[in-house]
Amino acid sequence: MSTAKVRRVKPYSGFSKYTPDSLLLDAGAFFKNFKVGTDTYATAKAAGKCLGATQKGGEFSAKPNIRRLEIDGVKTRTKGDTLIDGWECYIKATFIEMTKEMLMCSLGAADEKTAAVDGYDKITGRSTILDEDYIENITWIGCLLGEDKPVIIQVYNGFNENGLTMAVADKDNAKLEVQFFGNNTPDDYSSDDEIEPPFAIYRPTTAKVESSQKTEGE
């Protein structure tokens, strides 16, 4: 009589006791011209730097523009045959507050003019892009579980290239989806230093936890 083989499902997983301390939670908040090292979440909100409430969170992307060198006989991706021509980065979110500032940020190239009707702010588009249309930085601040300090992501010289699209619906509130692309400046090309892409990610240092993980793996 044959005996059936016992088949057990083994709990292979990347989970460890350090996992909860590395989870990035919730939608966070979006700011304009946030000064890392000077501003805090509370002071930036008090200073009116918060862009407003959002719906369904947001998105950050930093993607290198890859170019492979075409070399005869090299038919497979090979170390050393790939160059980075630049970076495409952006911060995107859907805002639900129709503030004057948010409308102007959405338009990208816009002006505030004196309204002919009392009690109104008049906002118009413009056919040229000025230096002041680029926002020094667009910053996302979010909670890293297990850390008192937040994660901070910044896109520099943010500009919304997609214009303003306002979605409205019955039994719902209007929404503004804005995608701020990062931009380098002409001054970046006036130095012998390597040109850095227009974004930065600030993650709280967790040297103690990382040291413990290394010790266990040795």
Side-chain angles (χ1 to χ4, degrees):
M1 183 176 178
S2 61
T3 303
K5 182 179 179 179
V6 177
R7 296 177 174 84
R8 295 185 177 88
V9 177
K10 296 184 178 180
Y12 296 133
S13 172
F15 180 81
S16 73
K17 63 182 180 181
Y18 304 107
T19 297
D21 293 332
S22 299
L23 299 181
L24 198 57
L25 301 181
D26 300 328
F30 297 84
F31 292 83
K32 173 182 177 181
N33 299 335
F34 185 95
K35 301 291 186 184
V36 177
T38 301
D39 285 331
T40 66
Y41 168 80
T43 62
K45 287 202 79 173
K49 295 185 177 184
C50 185
L51 287 171
T54 59
Q55 192 172 85
K56 297 184 179 179
E59 180 178 299
F60 166 71
S61 175
K63 183 178 180 181
N65 296 318
I66 297 294
R67 172 164 57 96
R68 286 196 60 225
L69 301 175
E70 298 294 332
I71 303 172
D72 291 343
V74 180
K75 304 181 185 300
T76 304
R77 285 183 172 82
T78 304
K79 287 183 177 180
D81 75 346
T82 306
L83 302 177
I84 296 179
D85 283 334
W87 286 78
E88 185 87 353
C89 61
Y90 64 80
I91 284 180
K92 180 170 69 174
T94 300
F95 293 89
I96 58 175
E97 293 187 38
M98 300 297 114
T99 63
K100 178 176 64 178
E101 182 179 46
M102 198 65 250
L103 290 169
M104 294 186 70
C105 287
S106 300
L107 287 167
D111 292 313
E112 180 187 357
K113 296 185 177 180
T114 302
V117 181
D118 290 338
Y120 282 90
D121 295 317
K122 183 179 180 180
I123 300 168
T124 62
R126 192 185 333 106
S127 297
T128 56
I129 300 175
L130 306 178
D131 282 350
E132 52 263 35
D133 293 327
Y134 294 90
I135 300 171
E136 181 181 340
N137 69 69
I138 299 295
T139 301
W140 177 83
I141 295 179
C143 174
L144 185 67
L145 191 62
E147 293 290 340
D148 291 330
K149 295 180 180 179
V151 169
I152 302 172
I153 299 176
Q154 294 191 309
V155 164
Y156 302 123
N157 304 302
F159 184 80
N160 176 40
E161 299 178 9
N162 299 332
L164 187 153
T165 300
M166 185 183 299
V168 294
D170 197 21
K171 298 182 180 180
D172 200 358
N173 52 277
K175 303 175 184 65
L176 292 174
E177 184 177 287
V178 185
Q179 186 171 3
F180 296 102
F181 289 91
N183 293 268
N184 284 110
T185 69
D187 290 341
D188 294 330
Y189 297 88
S190 301
S191 171
D192 292 331
D193 297 333
E194 181 179 350
I195 298 174
E196 295 183 354
F199 73 89
I201 302 170
Y202 294 85
R203 185 194 185 283
T205 302
T206 53
K208 184 176 181 180
V209 172
E210 291 169 358
S211 175
S212 300
Q213 288 176 312
K214 182 177 179 181
T215 301
E216 287 186 356
E218 290 178 343

